[in-house]
Every structure is written in C-alpha cells, then in structure tokens.
C-alpha cells in the first residue's frame, strides 16, 4: 500500500509530496523521470499511477463537508 502521494494540480506549477504516515504535505522538487513527467503535465498531459480516487476541490471545507465540486 502506498504511504505517500505526489500531487500536481492545474494552475499550480510545483508538485507536492503528501506523506500519509506523517500527515504532512510538502513542496517537491522533481528530478529524473519525475521531472520528465512533470514537464508533460505542464504541457497539458495527465499521468496517473497507483491512485484509484483523486478529486480536486475548491477548499478543504468542501471536502470535509462531503461535497464534490462540479
């Protein structure tokens, strides 16, 4: 089972590393193949691996209320 997730969302230039065990989210400076994938993302591509649900919401409050923005 994954214990960390790399996150990139449209409009946000950087990537983020969410450490599920530590309960933290930190900026990530991609290198190697991850930098290549990030370049494709910046050009409009989407890369998904090992994730079965991902939803971008407008705020944490929206997520905590159980709503999914449309």
């Amino acid at each position: 089972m994954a214990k960390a997730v790399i996150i990139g969302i449209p409009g946000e230039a950087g990537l983020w590393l969410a450490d599920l065990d530590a309960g933290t989210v930190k900026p990530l400076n991609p290198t190697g193949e991850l930098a290549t994938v990030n370049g494709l993302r910046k050009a409009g591509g989407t890369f998904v691996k090992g994730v079965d649900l991902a939803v971008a919401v407008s705020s944490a409050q929206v997520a905590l209320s159980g709503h999914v923005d449309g």
Side-chain angles (χ1 to χ4, degrees):
M1 181 172 137
K3 296 293 182 176
V5 181
I6 299 167
I7 304 165
I9 59 172
E12 181 74 29
L15 296 179
W16 296 86
L17 177 62
D19 182 326
L20 305 181
D21 284 337
T24 59
V25 179
K26 298 179 181 180
L28 177 66
N29 185 21
T31 61
E33 292 178 354
L34 186 55
T36 301
V37 171
N38 192 42
L40 296 171
R41 178 185 75 88
K42 287 180 180 179
T46 301
F47 183 81
V48 178
K49 182 177 180 182
V51 176
D52 63 3
L53 174 69
V55 179
V57 293
S58 58
S59 71
Q61 187 63 34
V62 170
L64 293 171
S65 69
H67 294 283
V68 177
D69 290 348

